[in-house]
Amino acid sequence: MQRIREIPYNYTSFSDREIVIRYLGEDNWRLIEDLRGTRRTGRSARMLFEVLGDMWVVERNPYLQDDLINDADRRDALVRALNHRLEQFERRLNDNRDAARLLEAARNAVDRFSNCFGERQNLRGRVRQVLGRVTRKDNIDFSGLARVSHATDATDWRVEMPFVVISPDREEEVAAIVKACIDCGLTLIPRGGGTGYTGSAVPLDAHCAVINTEKLETLSPVEEVELPGVEGKVATVRCGAGVVTRRVSELAAAQGLAFAVDPTSQDASTIGGNIAMNAGGKKAVLWGTALDNLASWRMVTPQADWLEVERLDHNRGKIHEQATVRFRIRRYEADGHTPRGAAQELKMPGQAFRKTGLGKDVTDKFLSGLPGVQKEGCDGLITSARFVLHRMPEHVRTVCLEFFGTDLGRAVPAIVEIIDRVKGLGGVEIAGLEHLDERYVKAVSYATKAARRERPKMVLIVDLVSEDESAVAAAASDVVHLANLR
């Protein structure tokens, strides 16, 4: 039978075991379990857990931390109360050496807890002083609201509260901010919209700075530019890391163009995160993921250096379909403009970026040594990028296919059949292919289109595009026929 929680105020995702290990170490957790087995803890154990609970509730609540940092009398009263409980614990030792070990570990934990407030206050002062030289002071946020709202991402996985949240106004500030944080001994976490499902924006160290890029909102108009190694001018857009993905799509659509990166989070996700995660979306079927559509991007490395990566000989299509792929890498001084050393060139086969049959290999973080993309912020902070835009064929047909019955084994092969069939048709392409399984259909309360009462077991949504209206209409009929056979 699972033991109920005994540490007071523990309404977090951490178990009692994890909290004890955090304060007292794993050996002492095992010791507590052994003492429980001999029924020799009782009141002493409750007092010990009360001490841990009081410290834990403060550690998980930045508002309480701020109150104790600013009020020395209240802080001293809390520490006295913790030590009083430990004194009561000591009176009940009865020469129990194991319990004495627990008491010593608890006293050390209380000492660390007592000292952390002064240490945090001193570090805050230093961070304010150093960062205040490179960005506005109101961009440096130690408030409880900022720290709580940046403690997790879409995973809702919470480990530590960030020490400070920094929101630069301009791209040019980022390298200096990174350098200042390094000088202050802070771990760095880049963050955009916080929509990721991998936990890459979740602080794992209490001494960390979250650099929020949402204010880096520079967005150019659609620009026809010459790309290195590409004949003629290409429609592109340059955007800051904090630009919301939907804004880029809307800008492109207003000019009759398409932005290929369209994850389901596009109303909240930002460009920097799209690059760091190599985001895709429905249009990835036609034009690939972020990697395939990047013309160039700028980033700041963990050494606070500026780095610019530029794709050469862009094929304006899926990167793995190009025999040889080349990138030019330039480094710059702190000003972001003065070159540092000679440019380098990365050269690799296009097939190195994809596993056969996969639109994106999420296990390949290295990507042949290409910086920034799909690294989830681990090798630098994306500050801006230029993307290639596309022209959508004139005629589009969207087909919604619903599959009923209990034997999904008969329905799933329809996905491959549809892809293979359309590939064999001249002048027609799949611009989007969405697969909704039974759980998703239920979760979104999907409204059945067919004349049936029950929900389908599987839904396929296919976007077919062509410059020939009759060809796309015929392809849509052909896809429906394939589905009906199943």
Side-chain angles (χ1 to χ4, degrees), residues 142-452:
F142 296 98
S143 72
L145 178 60
R147 295 174 62 206
V148 166
S149 59
H150 289 77
T152 187
D153 55 13
T155 62
D156 201 30
W157 185 43
R158 300 168 192 270
V159 181
E160 297 283 358
M161 299 286 172
F163 181 76
V164 62
V165 177
I166 308 162
S167 303
D169 290 312
R170 299 175 297 112
E171 180 179 11
E172 292 75 16
E173 297 176 354
V174 176
I177 288 173
V178 169
K179 176 69 165 57
C181 289
I182 293 171
D183 290 344
C184 290
L186 297 175
T187 301
L188 297 176
I189 296 180
R191 179 189 172 97
T195 60
Y197 281 105
T198 64
S200 58
V202 176
L204 301 179
D205 189 325
H207 287 86
C208 83
V210 172
I211 300 180
N212 188 316
T213 63
E214 288 180 307
K215 288 162 69 175
L216 306 183
E217 294 182 301
T218 302
L219 181 60
S220 76
V222 174
E223 299 174 322
E224 298 278 344
V225 301
E226 293 181 355
L227 299 180
V230 179
E231 186 176 347
K233 292 189 175 182
V234 179
T236 67
V237 61
R238 187 180 185 280
C239 30
V243 175
V244 173
T245 313
R246 173 74 74 180
R247 301 291 84 78
V248 188
S249 295
E250 291 173 342
L251 174 68
Q255 300 296 319
L257 300 169
F259 181 51
V261 183
D262 62 343
T264 53
S265 62
Q266 64 179 310
D267 287 310
S269 66
T270 57
I271 290 299
N274 293 160
I275 297 170
M277 303 299 294
N278 191 14
K282 191 170 66 171
K283 297 191 188 81
V285 177
L286 188 56
W287 293 307
T289 61
L291 168 64
D292 304 85
N293 295 279
L294 280 164
S296 63
W297 61 99
R298 285 174 68 86
M299 58 188 287
V300 177
T301 70
Q303 293 75 38
D305 293 329
W306 282 104
L307 194 70
E308 184 175 84
V309 185
E310 186 178 28
R311 174 114 174 246
L312 308 177
D313 312 319
H314 205 298
N315 65 343
R316 288 184 276 182
K318 295 177 181 176
I319 196 167
H320 62 279
E321 294 176 352
Q322 193 168 4
T324 301
V325 180
R326 296 190 303 138
F327 294 90
R328 181 162 53 213
I329 300 176
R330 294 188 177 99
R331 288 175 171 80
Y332 297 91
E333 300 290 348
D335 61 9
H337 303 290
T338 305
R340 176 185 290 177
Q344 296 176 289
E345 185 176 302
L346 282 179
K347 185 177 180 180
M348 65 283 288
Q351 288 290 335
F353 289 98
R354 294 280 192 271
K355 275 189 176 180
T356 304
L358 290 181
K360 178 174 79 170
D361 179 9
V362 297
T363 67
D364 182 9
K365 300 300 180 187
F366 185 63
L367 280 185
S368 300
L370 184 66
V373 180
Q374 204 162 297
K375 305 300 189 298
E376 301 181 26
C378 290
D379 71 339
L381 190 154
I382 307 294
T383 59
S384 63
R386 184 176 294 277
F387 283 90
V388 170
L389 301 178
H390 304 273
R391 189 166 297 280
M392 184 72 78
E394 184 176 356
H395 301 286
V396 182
R397 284 288 180 93
T398 299
V399 185
C400 179
L401 307 173
E402 299 176 333
F403 296 84
F404 298 86
T406 57
D407 187 6
L408 279 182
R410 294 185 60 211
V412 173
I415 300 172
V416 177
E417 289 179 353
I418 290 168
I419 293 172
D420 290 343
R421 180 64 63 91
V422 175
K423 280 182 178 178
L425 299 175
V428 180
E429 294 182 287
I430 297 177
L433 180 61
E434 292 276 3
H435 165 246
L436 313 181
D437 63 16
E438 184 178 7
R439 289 177 299 174
Y440 190 92
V441 165
K442 183 178 180 180
V444 300
S445 299
Y446 177 84
T448 306
K449 310 300 184 290
R452 295 176 180 240

